[in-house]
Amino acid sequence: MQTATSSTPLVDRPAWKSLKAHADQIRGRHLRDLFKEDPTRGERLTAEAEGLFLDYSKNRVTDETLKLLVQLAEQSKLRERTEAMFNGEKINITENRAVLHVALRAPKNESIVVDGENVVPEVHKVLEKMAAFANRVRSGEWRGHTGKRIRNIVNIGIGGSDLGPVMAYEALKHYSQRDLTFRFVSNVDGTDFAEAVQDLNVDETLFLVASKTFTTLETMTNAHTAREWALKSLGDEKAVAKHFVAISTNAKEVAKFGIDTENMFGFWDWVGGRYSMDSAIGLSTMIAIGPENFNEMLAGFHAMDVHFRTTPLEKNLPALLGLLSIWYTEFFDAQTQAVLPYEQYLKRFPAYLQQLTMESNGKHVTLDGAKVNYQTGQIYWGEPGTNGQHSFYQLIHQGTRLIPCDFIAFYKSLNPLGRHHDMLVANVFAQAEALAFGKTAEQVKAEGTPDWLVPHRVFEGNRPSNTILADVLTPAALGKLVALYEHAVFTQGVIWNIDSFDQWGVELGKVLATKILGELESKDKPKLDHDSSTTNLIELYRKNK
Ligand code: F6P
């Protein structure tokens, strides 16, 4: 079935035109004045859902802006497209696939039909298989080839088959079984594998080979290296069954690799790699935190799914986040978006979001294949606070670029230690305040600053941020947070009228790398037909390797 999309090009939609004119007025306005004019702004421009509180008052917006952004979402058919996604329509049109990460966290009694089949029972069947396996590993019942208990889990995967698992493991470490060691190998650089296993005992090590396609060069290379490493000590081919499991949609390739498909955890083509952390790709997470906590995380995702699907756009957290980023990207020339979690456990969250947001929305044509005449795909980046404050915040405060920031913090710490948490949170609020209101030349002068130094010490302010607060980092809170961004990315993609679920942009590099690999390895140095730069680099490498 063809999805409802807006037939009017983005820049011709009435709300877009109104926003353009409106932005010309807003650009000249300072957050200081907006706050002065409306003393209730800080309480009013907020939204709360499922325990996540969003303060978006420190954005360069007025009620009129929000009204127009919501109109833009409506004119872009955000509602219709959301329904199409949740109903299993093939909205990933270039791959002719449904986009159903929401089915991965749907309760058992729901029905989501793809190609005439309700996929929810299948999802729960795999979850149950994962839980049984995770429990066997956690309890020590699953033994290695020599009869030893498994103590080390090594996830081999890349992109969505790595970033979700590693982010979730780090985020939920507090809930993890501490007598198990977790490692994540992704890079084809041999150092990644070598360092991951150098202190591990092979008898006690289980490899999870995570790859949707089971053909990804990096993952297959690492998996073969792992197999050789394991068999060098364990000798017997039979050991593979005890030390390797596969997570994939491709049973044929899994069997070819030598993993018994009994030890395979499946998922489906309607789960995109960067949306797969709730599928079997999350097996390492489930082993780490246990099935109960994993289910709690899924419930968190689902709660945000329901919120996104049913809440009016004015109060809809993912929609607001997505629309605000459209506002800055399109009308303020913002190139990037900083994501700044003030929670050490979320240290890999920005890296995770980079794939989620940039692989999804880094597109140059619309769904119809027409070249876009606007910007798409903001650049997401960030580091946990307070570390970032001592490296790149200078540029956010006093540089020449506008960088909207998302601050993320929790009321409670999982490791309450003296004054640490109050200090941490004080920094979140202080940074957002400083960015918005800055410090005028008069204020700087009044502090006795010599005239020549005044300009250097002025903070212009008027730099936008969102503050997202939640109670404490639980598995459910993580689920809500990730789903918040997933649906914000979806919102952006709908406005931009692009396919947020394909990733053709990674293909060309893969093809060229395969060709060049042959040229680097071949003994008889084949003739090169590249540009002069690439040819020169290949020759240099051949000479010096
Ligand atoms: O980078 C391209 C990509 O296809 C990602 O979308 C995906 O997450 C990653 O490669 C890994 O793919 P696979 O799980 O098939 O190994």
Side-chain angles (χ1 to χ4, degrees):
M1 196 198 306
Q2 191 51 35
T3 307
T5 58
S6 172
S7 52
T8 315
L10 175 56
V11 298
D12 295 333
R13 291 175 209 154
W16 178 273
K17 290 185 179 163
S18 307
L19 278 162
K20 203 159 184 285
H22 174 69
D24 291 340
Q25 293 162 9
I26 294 292
R27 257 182 241 110
R29 311 220 52 201
H30 200 289
L31 278 166
R32 282 182 207 128
D33 302 320
L34 296 178
F35 271 84
K36 229 181 262 158
E37 279 164 23
D38 174 9
T40 66
R41 181 181 169 95
E43 289 137 52
R44 243 172 19 82
L45 299 194
T46 62
E48 190 164 13
E50 301 302 334
L52 294 191
F53 177 82
L54 168 68
D55 173 358
Y56 59 94
S57 64
K58 294 193 187 81
N59 280 289
R60 293 171 66 175
V61 296
T62 61
D63 292 338
E64 177 68 7
T65 322
L66 291 160
K67 197 180 90 194
L68 293 172
L69 285 170
V70 166
Q71 281 175 11
L72 180 66
E74 282 159 357
Q75 289 166 19
S76 307
K77 301 207 185 301
L78 177 60
R79 281 305 187 202
E80 292 85 337
R81 297 280 302 281
T82 303
E83 280 313 298
M85 173 170 73
F86 276 84
N87 289 329
E89 285 183 37
K90 298 195 171 166
I91 62 166
N92 175 0
I93 59 158
T94 71
E95 295 180 312
N96 192 30
R97 287 177 182 165
V99 174
L100 272 180
H101 40 283
V102 293
L104 299 171
R105 51 259 193 163
K108 242 183 185 164
N109 56 357
E110 270 190 21
S111 164
I112 301 176
V113 177
V114 182
D115 293 332
E117 198 192 329
N118 178 11
V119 298
V120 178
E122 276 302 303
V123 165
H124 282 269
K125 215 154 98 193
V126 174
L127 282 171
E128 278 155 28
K129 182 172 170 180
M130 286 165 67
F133 181 74
N135 283 333
R136 288 179 75 189
V137 175
R138 286 164 64 82
S139 67
E141 188 195 325
W142 183 279
R143 303 260 156 180
H145 184 63
T146 59
K148 283 210 173 152
R149 181 181 177 163
I150 295 297
R151 303 221 169 259
N152 317 308
I153 320 293
V154 181
N155 187 81
I156 298 179
I158 198 164
S161 301
D162 167 70
L163 289 162
V166 72
M167 181 279 288
Y169 170 68
E170 291 295 343
L172 301 175
K173 206 178 204 165
H174 180 81
Y175 305 89
S176 70
Q177 187 167 314
R178 299 289 184 152
D179 63 356
L180 294 175
T181 296
F182 288 82
R183 300 275 161 82
F184 297 85
V185 177
S186 53
N187 199 336
V188 77
D189 184 337
T191 299
D192 203 10
F193 180 79
E195 284 295 334
V197 299
Q198 59 86 24
D199 58 344
L200 302 187
N201 182 346
V202 62
D203 298 341
E204 304 177 330
T205 302
L206 174 71
F207 291 97
L208 313 181
V209 185
S211 175
K212 180 175 168 181
T213 54
F214 229 72
T215 55
T216 304
L217 178 90
E218 291 89 337
T219 301
M220 287 305 107
T221 306
N222 280 320
H224 281 287
T225 302
R227 202 168 180 277
E228 276 163 36
W229 178 79
L231 291 185
K232 205 164 99 198
S233 311
L234 299 170
D236 195 346
E237 279 281 333
K238 280 198 204 115
V240 172
K242 297 282 179 200
H243 292 269
F244 285 81
V245 301
I247 302 159
S248 187
T249 56
N250 191 344
K252 210 167 114 212
E253 286 298 322
V254 168
K256 236 204 250 163
F257 180 86
I259 296 179
D260 187 345
T261 44
E262 272 297 296
N263 294 339
M264 169 175 158
F265 298 84
F267 58 113
W268 309 270
D269 74 352
W270 40 261
V271 182
R274 51 195 176 273
Y275 298 88
S276 66
M277 62 175 277
D278 295 338
S279 71
I281 291 290
L283 185 60
S284 57
T285 315
M286 197 192 265
I287 297 173
I289 64 173
E292 217 173 286
N293 280 321
F294 193 86
N295 288 337
E296 225 200 82
M297 180 181 84
L298 296 185
F301 272 95
H302 180 67
M304 191 49 67
D305 293 342
V306 173
H307 165 76
F308 177 59
R309 191 177 185 183
T310 58
T311 308
L313 297 177
E314 296 76 8
K315 287 283 163 201
N316 191 310
L317 264 52
L320 285 169
L321 225 53
L323 289 169
L324 285 166
S325 71
I326 295 275
W327 173 239
Y328 294 119
T329 307
E330 303 307 328
F331 303 109
F332 287 75
D333 282 337
Q335 302 283 328
T336 82
Q337 167 78 46
V339 183
L340 308 163
Y342 278 64
E343 168 54 79
Q344 186 63 19
Y345 284 124
L346 289 181
K347 66 181 180 197
R348 297 302 304 272
F349 193 59
Y352 173 79
L353 281 189
Q354 282 182 334
Q355 188 199 13
L356 177 69
T357 60
M358 290 155 75
E359 205 172 70
S360 295
N361 283 343
K363 306 290 160 68
H364 69 138
V365 293
T366 65
L367 288 168
D368 320 315
K371 186 137 176 51
V372 297
N373 52 355
Y374 41 85
Q375 293 287 343
T376 67
Q378 242 176 333
I379 300 158
Y380 278 72
W381 60 284
E383 278 289 321
T386 56
N387 297 4
Q389 290 174 209
H390 298 273
S391 73
F392 52 78
Y393 276 43
Q394 165 65 37
L395 186 146
I396 307 182
H397 281 289
Q398 283 192 316
T400 53
R401 297 170 196 279
L402 181 93
I403 302 178
C405 299
D406 285 354
F407 292 100
I408 301 169
F410 295 86
Y411 299 129
K412 300 185 185 90
S413 170
L414 288 164
N415 295 295
L417 273 182
R419 297 173 66 206
H420 283 256
H421 197 64
D422 288 345
M423 282 184 190
L424 180 72
V425 176
N427 274 282
V428 180
F429 299 160
Q431 289 300 325
E433 189 175 26
L435 285 169
F437 304 106
K439 200 169 182 183
T440 62
E442 290 67 46
Q443 288 171 310
V444 176
K445 265 188 214 150
E447 289 169 349
T449 309
D451 281 354
W452 68 269
L453 191 54
V454 169
H456 297 276
R457 297 192 56 189
V458 163
F459 285 65
E460 287 171 348
N462 216 14
R463 296 173 188 227
S465 68
N466 291 309
T467 303
I468 298 164
L469 297 175
D471 189 47
V472 66
L473 181 54
T474 58
L478 181 71
K480 290 170 193 173
L481 207 52
V482 175
L484 168 67
Y485 279 94
E486 283 177 349
H487 297 314
V489 166
F490 176 79
T491 301
Q492 295 164 0
V494 170
I495 308 283
W496 286 323
N497 196 26
I498 55 179
D499 190 332
S500 298
F501 302 102
D502 61 11
Q503 56 285 316
W504 298 105
V506 297
E507 294 304 322
L508 178 59
K510 281 191 204 171
V511 173
L512 292 179
T514 307
K515 174 177 174 199
I516 293 174
L517 179 61
E519 293 164 349
L520 298 183
E521 287 182 336
S522 169
K523 293 264 173 325
D524 34 84
K525 307 225 162 89
K527 202 170 154 337
L528 303 172
D529 64 349
H530 298 272
D531 61 276
S532 60
S533 162
T534 310
T535 298
N536 192 36
L537 292 169
I538 292 173
E539 279 169 355
L540 260 176
Y541 180 79
R542 277 173 173 174
K543 201 162 87 199
N544 293 303
K545 73 181 236 180

